[in-house]
């Protein structure tokens, strides 16, 4: 997982590439590098540095060069330790050809052996360096042809940008499995792993497909398949503004994204509710209405936080649509030879739309003939394009590695989809109308929950040094317990476990010691009394309870050390409100522990490797 950016035009490439790298830093941040074709002698200046992009910037301060063609990279190591040598760009033996790469070359070892037998000397431990030597092997003055020939021998995932010192007017880009977008300016192009590195310069973009490449010259571009069949890609307009992507005045993207949930939830719903008719309008599903009406089974598949959303989806689909539903980790689904028949709908949930396992699950499900839908945030992403139909989250770009606002919008879309299916089965308009009215209040209710911020910070202060946490909930709130624990693990590096509350007595109860923080989702609802019994069990063993409770419920004060009240809403909506205090709790614990909240160690925003 890495970020790549490349520029060809008449402006100075360095500031554009640097700015782009900073925007892509969320995709990887263990090392970075840049290759610029220098105006004065035509040679490539290649500079790489271990660590954050600021380390590269510091080295580049000493270099004074002008250049209008270059490529750059921010890395999240897969093959080879994060260090200067393994950082990209990688060059061939002549130092004339440079490549940046996001993805994994699966047959790199065989290719490396072959190249070494031919006398190639490798400098790094990376799979990417193979590409540089392979392209050089085929280079006879035409960079496009060399890349094409090389890629035909490659198995694996890649988004690449390639330049050559002898070709001052060519940048070649290609993709297979990893994202790559081309920004189209006036006599200039920017290639990047995502739109955030481009939109400051142009909103006109071209999305490359798998096994497709583009040859960019200042005078124009052309695209073709890796097998040299010409292709035609329409120029599209990106809707996100740079301001949306920026941090505003918040210290971290994660906090900004938690705080903007009232707006993002409203955006997700906008124009999709018809209260009068008791209907949700999901344009992205219109082509699939017939199949959806006859669906007999739903399989939700995803990874990480999106998988937790899927777990809530199981309750929603069975409750509101009365359709048997299962949830599967995408990584398990794809390898398990799942049973899919024509009455099965597979729904893939993904913020980025690029998660490798989820994308592979989509492909497997389609291969087996299922109708495959996507719930995706990034417009035009691989999963969005690889599914039969779907619903976009429209919650704006999410930059913090730990997913927050995308999760709440995923829950909202799942409620809408469950209603959509329910209306085609047993739900009466008046029932749907009640749900819609309730859902429309959720953004304001979330705004109300956000007012707990200070109180949650105090709770975080008290427990920040505790090494173990438990999160417990039942029914709709069981997946929320899992998500709360995941948030804490991801960004504060504290061990936390989320469980269905009733499971505690089958083992984890042995962990409870004096003063251990145990977070309970204890809203009023069907299983409220049962949750209270679980709280008694924890309290009697010395656990310190932090309870999320329904507004007006003061009876929990006897059991809990801290009670955080949220508005009283029907159970299907509780996860959206309940997750907010848990996001804030994880955030404050991480900040108090001095952790890099937006870029937690070992994690990446978009996991495009298996
Ligand atoms: C990574 C991220 C998680 C995310 C998961 C799935 O692990 O760190 O926050 O939930 O990938 O990502 P997706 O983009 O498919 O929702």
């Amino acid at each position: 997982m890495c970020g790549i950016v490349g520029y060809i035009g008449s402006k100075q490439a360095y500031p554009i590439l640097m700015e782009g790298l900073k925007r892509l830093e969320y995709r990887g941040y263990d090392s970075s590098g840049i290759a610029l074709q220098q105006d004065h002698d035509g040679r490539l200046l290649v500079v790489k540095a271990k660590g954050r992009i600021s380390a590269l910037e510091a080295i580049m301060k000493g270099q004074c060069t002008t250049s209008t063609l270059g490529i750059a990279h921010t890395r999240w190591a897969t093959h080879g330790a994060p260090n200067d040598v393994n950082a990209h760009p990688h060059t061939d033996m002549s130092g004339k050809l440079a490549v940046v790469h996001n993805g994994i070359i699966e047959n790199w070892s065989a290719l490396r052996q072959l190249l070494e037998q031919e006398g190639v000397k490798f400098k790094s431990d990376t799979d990417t360096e193979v590409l540089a030597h392979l392209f050089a092997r085929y280079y006879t003055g035409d960079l496009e042809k060399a890349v094409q020939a090389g890629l035909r021998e490659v198995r694996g995932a890649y988004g690449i940008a390639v330049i050559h010192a002898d070709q001052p007017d060519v940048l070649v880009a290609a993709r297979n499995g990893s994202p790559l977008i081309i920004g189209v300016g006036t006599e200039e192009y920017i290639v990047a792993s995502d739109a955030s590195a481009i939109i400051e310069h142009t909103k006109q973009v071209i999305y490359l497909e798998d096994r497709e490449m583009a040859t960019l010259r200042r005078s124009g571009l052309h695209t073709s398949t890796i097998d040299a069949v010409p292709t035609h890609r329409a120029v599209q307009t990106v809707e996100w503004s740079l301001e949306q992507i920026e941090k505003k005045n918040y210290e971290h993207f994660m906090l900004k994204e938690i705080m903007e949930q009232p707006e993002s939830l409203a955006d997700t719903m906008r124009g999709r509710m018809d209260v009068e008719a008791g209907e949700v309008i999901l344009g992205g599903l219109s082509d699939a209405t017939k199949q959806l009406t006859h669906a007999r089974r739903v399989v939700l598949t995803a990874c990480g936080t999106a998988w937790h959303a899927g777990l809530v989806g199981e309750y929603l689909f069975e409750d509101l649509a009365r359709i048997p539903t299962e949830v599967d980790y995408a990584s398990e689904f794809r390898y398990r030879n799942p049973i899919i028949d024509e009455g099965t709908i597979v729904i893939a949930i993904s913020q980025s739309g690029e998660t490798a396992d989820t994308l592979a699950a989509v492909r497997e499900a389609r291969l087996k003939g299922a109708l495959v839908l996507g719930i995706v945030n990034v417009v035009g992403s691989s999963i969005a394009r690889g599914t039969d139909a779907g619903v976009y989250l429209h919650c704006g770009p999410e930059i913090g590695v730990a997913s927050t606002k995308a999760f709440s919008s995923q829950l909202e879309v799942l409620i809408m989809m469950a209603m959509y299916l329910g209306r085609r089965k047993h739900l009466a308009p008046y029932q749907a109308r009640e749900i819609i009215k309730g859902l429309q209040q959720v953004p304001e209710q979330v705004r109300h929950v956000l007012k707990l911020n200070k109180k949650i910070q105090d709770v975080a202060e008290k427990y920040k040094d505790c090494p173990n946490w438990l999160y417990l909930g039942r029914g709709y709130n069981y997946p929320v317990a899992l998500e709360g624990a995941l948030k804490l693990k991801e960004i504060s590096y504290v061990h936390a476990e989320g469980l269905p509350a009733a499971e505690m007595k089958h083992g984890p109860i042995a962990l409870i010691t004096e003063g251990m923080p145990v977070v309970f989702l204890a809203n009023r609802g069907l299983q409220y009394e049962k949750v209270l019994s679980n709280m008694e069990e924890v309290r009697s063993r010395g656990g310190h309870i932090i309870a999320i409770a329904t507004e007006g419920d003061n009876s929990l004060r006897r059991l809990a050390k801290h009670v955080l009240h949220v508005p009283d809403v029907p159970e299907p909506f509780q996860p959206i409100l309940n997750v907010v205090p848990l996001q804030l709790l994880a955030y404050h614990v991480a900040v108090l522990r001095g952790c890099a909240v937006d870029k937690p160690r070992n994690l990446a925003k978009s996991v495009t490797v298996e």
Side-chain angles (χ1 to χ4, degrees):
M1 197 119 26
C2 308
I4 66 174
V5 54
Y7 177 80
I8 179 165
S10 54
K11 299 192 187 115
Q12 284 306 310
Y14 175 68
I16 295 173
L17 295 177
M18 234 32 206
E19 197 52 41
L21 278 192
K22 285 180 194 162
R23 296 203 189 287
L24 295 174
E25 202 180 8
Y26 74 91
R27 296 181 59 85
Y29 37 83
D30 59 41
S31 53
S32 60
I34 191 164
L36 294 167
Q37 196 202 27
Q38 304 176 100
D39 285 347
H40 69 275
D41 61 1
R43 288 168 42 174
L44 296 188
L45 170 72
V46 180
V47 179
K48 315 196 232 185
K50 184 182 170 192
R52 292 281 161 90
I53 286 161
S54 47
L56 176 68
E57 226 173 0
I59 301 176
M60 285 300 287
K61 276 215 171 88
Q63 314 272 347
C64 90
T65 188
T66 59
S67 164
T68 56
L69 171 67
I71 52 178
H73 187 269
T74 177
R75 179 166 189 249
W76 185 80
T78 53
H79 291 72
N83 57 31
D84 293 1
V85 176
N86 288 334
H88 301 210
H90 288 284
T91 48
D92 71 330
M93 291 219 291
S94 72
K96 285 184 166 189
L97 185 150
V99 186
V100 287
H101 166 224
N102 165 33
I104 286 185
I105 306 301
E106 283 164 13
N107 58 341
W108 71 285
S109 168
L111 290 170
R112 181 171 172 144
Q113 266 181 28
L114 182 120
L115 289 159
E116 277 175 340
Q117 275 163 17
E118 292 179 359
V120 172
K121 297 268 176 288
F122 277 77
K123 295 182 282 272
S124 76
D125 309 316
T126 64
D127 53 337
T128 304
E129 194 183 344
V130 159
L131 295 179
H133 298 299
L134 195 61
F135 300 154
R137 181 179 192 251
Y138 287 110
Y139 181 76
T140 52
D142 184 332
L143 190 58
E144 178 184 344
K145 287 219 170 83
V147 172
Q148 221 157 40
L151 288 180
R152 277 193 217 130
E153 294 187 12
V154 162
R155 254 195 357 260
Y158 51 80
I160 56 167
V162 191
I163 57 173
H164 194 291
D166 295 342
Q167 303 279 316
D169 191 25
V170 182
L171 190 157
V172 179
R175 73 158 281 187
N176 184 43
S178 298
L180 196 72
I181 302 175
I182 301 169
V184 181
T186 313
E187 297 189 353
E188 65 175 2
Y189 297 98
I190 304 169
V191 297
S193 302
D194 83 30
S196 64
I198 294 176
I199 57 171
E200 205 181 356
H201 308 283
T202 174
K203 294 200 162 193
Q204 305 300 303
V205 300
I206 291 173
Y207 297 97
L208 287 188
E209 292 293 326
D210 278 350
R211 291 189 63 76
E212 193 172 22
M213 59 189 289
T215 304
L216 315 170
R217 296 177 200 278
R218 290 174 182 86
S219 56
L221 99 173
H222 68 262
T223 56
S224 70
T225 66
I226 303 303
D227 303 308
V229 178
T231 55
H232 299 283
R233 293 279 151 235
V235 177
Q236 301 185 28
T237 306
V238 180
E239 285 159 17
W240 289 351
S241 69
L242 194 57
E243 197 209 328
Q244 275 178 295
I245 299 177
E246 280 171 349
K247 227 188 280 176
K248 306 216 171 119
N249 285 329
Y250 290 102
E251 204 183 327
H252 297 101
F253 278 112
M254 181 179 178
L255 185 60
K256 170 186 164 261
E257 286 157 9
I258 294 172
M259 290 299 179
E260 69 192 14
Q261 287 177 106
E263 291 81 34
S264 56
L265 285 162
D267 288 344
T268 299
M269 263 192 290
R270 201 179 308 284
R272 289 171 160 172
M273 303 295 195
D274 185 342
V275 189
E276 280 304 295
E279 248 299 25
V280 280
I281 304 147
L282 298 172
L285 299 185
S286 54
D287 291 345
T289 315
K290 201 159 165 216
Q291 276 161 288
L292 288 170
T293 310
H294 296 110
R296 288 194 304 272
R297 177 173 161 249
V298 171
V299 177
L300 294 157
T301 189
C303 303
T305 289
W307 181 75
H308 293 156
L311 288 181
V312 179
E314 181 176 5
Y315 288 83
L316 290 166
F317 280 80
E318 297 201 338
D319 234 8
L320 303 180
R322 306 296 303 145
I323 299 184
T325 304
E326 304 155 35
V327 191
D328 225 339
Y329 284 114
S331 54
E332 293 300 317
F333 177 87
R334 59 182 291 198
Y335 290 119
R336 213 193 46 238
N337 197 11
I339 298 165
I340 305 284
D341 61 23
E342 54 189 21
T344 305
I345 307 175
V346 174
I347 305 178
I349 310 170
S350 173
Q351 187 288 129
S352 62
E354 300 294 348
T355 301
D357 282 322
T358 312
L359 185 56
V362 163
R363 288 179 178 150
E364 182 64 23
R366 287 193 83 179
L367 186 86
K368 292 199 150 69
L371 173 74
V372 184
L373 309 181
I375 299 178
V376 170
N377 192 34
V378 179
V379 175
S381 57
S382 302
I383 294 174
R385 284 178 287 129
T387 40
D388 296 299
V391 180
Y392 280 122
L393 298 180
H394 291 316
C395 69
E398 191 182 69
I399 305 292
V401 166
S403 184
T404 53
K405 65 173 181 171
F407 178 71
S408 51
S409 284
Q410 283 160 356
L411 298 181
E412 206 180 34
V413 166
L414 285 162
I415 294 173
M416 290 192 271
M417 280 175 107
M419 255 199 294
Y420 185 93
L421 288 177
R423 282 290 281 117
R424 274 144 196 84
K425 296 196 177 284
H426 68 100
L427 261 192
Y430 76 90
Q431 291 171 308
R433 213 171 285 141
E434 286 314 302
I435 302 171
I436 292 174
K437 281 187 189 157
L439 197 53
Q440 284 178 325
Q441 290 173 37
V442 165
E444 275 316 302
Q445 287 161 336
V446 166
R447 198 181 300 284
H448 191 71
V449 176
L450 288 168
K451 292 190 186 139
L452 292 168
N453 190 27
K454 178 71 189 78
K455 200 168 172 189
I456 294 169
Q457 195 174 14
D458 295 342
V459 175
E461 180 70 59
K462 202 155 186 314
Y463 297 101
K464 67 176 194 303
D465 297 320
C466 295
N468 285 301
W469 296 56
L470 265 187
Y471 286 71
L472 302 170
R474 284 171 177 253
Y476 276 101
N477 285 314
Y478 140 57
V480 182
L482 266 54
E483 175 60 8
L486 178 65
K487 286 286 91 85
L488 192 71
K489 279 184 272 205
E490 279 179 308
I491 59 167
S492 66
Y493 320 142
V494 172
H495 177 250
E497 236 184 283
L499 292 165
E503 279 299 299
M504 179 185 66
K505 57 184 172 293
H506 299 294
I509 197 165
L511 297 172
I512 295 170
T513 50
E514 185 61 40
M516 177 179 178
V518 181
V519 179
F520 269 96
L521 285 321
N523 314 64
R524 285 202 193 279
L526 272 180
Q527 303 198 54
Y528 176 69
E529 305 292 337
K530 304 267 179 221
V531 174
L532 291 195
S533 311
N534 297 135
M535 286 168 82
E536 289 283 6
E537 290 157 12
V538 168
R539 195 183 67 115
S540 63
R541 285 164 181 81
H544 283 196
I545 295 175
I546 302 159
I548 310 293
T550 304
E551 235 157 38
D553 181 0
N554 293 320
S555 59
L556 296 182
R557 295 203 197 278
R558 187 181 63 80
L559 292 165
K561 292 271 181 208
H562 311 273
V563 182
L564 301 166
H565 285 110
V566 300
D568 190 5
V569 294
E571 290 198 43
F573 303 159
Q574 284 177 7
I576 303 184
L577 300 196
N578 284 350
V579 77
V580 175
L582 305 193
Q583 294 167 343
L584 286 168
L585 185 60
Y587 172 77
H588 288 301
V589 171
V591 170
L592 290 164
R593 291 172 67 90
C595 300
V597 172
D598 284 334
K599 291 168 184 150
R601 70 179 182 211
N602 304 342
L603 299 181
K605 180 74 185 153
S606 162
V607 183
T608 48
V609 293
E610 282 183 36

